[in-house]
Amino acid sequence: MSEITYKTIAAPSEAQYRVLGSRHISYAYPVVTEDQIKTIIDQLWKEHHSATHVCYAWRLGWEKKLYRINDDGEPGGTAGKPIYGQIQSFDLTNILIAVVRYYGGTKLGTGGLIDAYKTAAKLAIEAASILEHEVQDVYQLTFTHEQLPRVMKALKEMQMNKINSVLDLNCMLEFSIRKSQQKKLEDLSADLTDAVLAYKGTL
């Protein structure tokens, strides 16, 4: 199985774009859940309580199937859609881009709004560091303490990344591995008496 990768940003970034008196402050965040996104949007409104709009778009998952756009009161298709268009243009996922707008007194018109939100989103992405992330599956393996040396040796060969562990009479390891290692992991679990392997999700 060949490795699967996706592009996202390494850390939050920020940029600004001004046009006809209106100020657009754009933010890009690496995210993995909708709860994270909601928390960030709520925080932006607290920080920019006098802003006219907080428009945004996001996409989640290595398959890039989960996304949403929000115009926050701007004319339909003039804010969230051009923001999302930049996410698509840079082929990113697990990302939220929010643009805070302070109205400057001069209407931009439909074309002007689209261009402003598109440009602000692009600047936030360009200010970020884009990285290629290798898709990994998260598992939880429970087994006996006597099996610990064998398990650790095998998982080390699979280059597992440990997330959590309980090493007692009964052991539990939560870890992530590359998708190409799935068959080896399943074979290991099958060879361990009374071991239980549970799939927990994808990173």
Side-chain angles (χ1 to χ4, degrees):
M1 181 187 296
S2 60
E3 304 304 343
I4 301 171
T5 62
Y6 63 83
K7 290 194 294 184
T8 188
I9 59 173
S13 63
E14 179 181 338
Q16 288 200 38
Y17 178 67
R18 292 176 181 267
V19 56
L20 296 178
S22 284
R23 183 161 61 111
H24 300 78
I25 309 170
S26 52
Y27 300 89
Y29 301 90
V31 290
V32 293
T33 68
E34 292 188 50
D35 285 342
Q36 273 184 290
I37 292 166
K38 184 180 185 304
T39 298
I40 291 169
I41 296 300
D42 289 346
Q43 185 59 39
L44 285 175
W45 268 119
K46 289 177 183 177
E47 293 176 9
H48 299 278
H49 53 84
S50 60
T52 319
H53 305 277
V54 178
C55 305
Y56 60 88
W58 55 260
R59 181 157 68 176
L60 295 177
W62 64 270
E63 294 179 300
K64 305 172 187 173
K65 292 180 178 178
L66 189 61
Y67 70 94
R68 187 162 299 162
I69 62 177
N70 190 308
D71 293 316
D72 191 38
E74 294 281 32
T78 62
K81 188 174 180 180
I83 294 171
Y84 185 66
Q86 290 306 297
I87 293 175
Q88 292 176 304
S89 293
F90 284 84
D91 193 28
L92 301 173
T93 190
N94 284 3
I95 185 172
L96 162 69
I97 299 179
V99 179
V100 177
R101 183 188 182 201
Y102 286 87
Y103 179 55
T106 302
K107 291 184 178 181
L108 302 182
T110 299
L113 285 171
I114 291 172
D115 183 67
Y117 282 103
K118 173 185 175 181
T119 302
K122 182 180 180 183
L123 291 173
I125 294 172
E126 289 178 342
S129 175
I130 295 175
L131 57 83
E132 192 165 21
H133 184 83
E134 192 173 77
V135 176
Q136 297 202 341
D137 288 328
V138 180
Y139 291 92
Q140 180 177 290
L141 181 65
T142 56
F143 51 94
T144 65
H145 194 271
E146 289 76 16
Q147 296 166 331
L148 180 61
R150 179 183 175 187
V151 169
M152 295 305 293
K153 180 176 184 295
L155 291 180
K156 184 177 180 181
E157 290 174 355
M158 296 180 210
Q159 298 181 314
M160 69 99 174
N161 296 301
K162 187 170 74 172
I163 298 172
N164 194 15
S165 65
V166 176
L167 305 179
D168 210 331
L169 289 178
N170 292 307
C171 298
M172 183 280 293
L173 273 175
E174 188 176 2
F175 55 90
S176 65
I177 60 169
R178 299 192 307 276
K179 283 186 172 290
S180 61
Q181 301 298 308
Q182 178 182 344
K183 181 65 167 58
K184 290 182 181 178
L185 177 62
E186 291 173 348
D187 289 345
L188 170 66
S189 176
D191 286 343
L192 298 172
T193 305
D194 296 327
V196 178
L197 180 66
Y199 172 72
K200 307 294 286 185
T202 302
L203 290 177

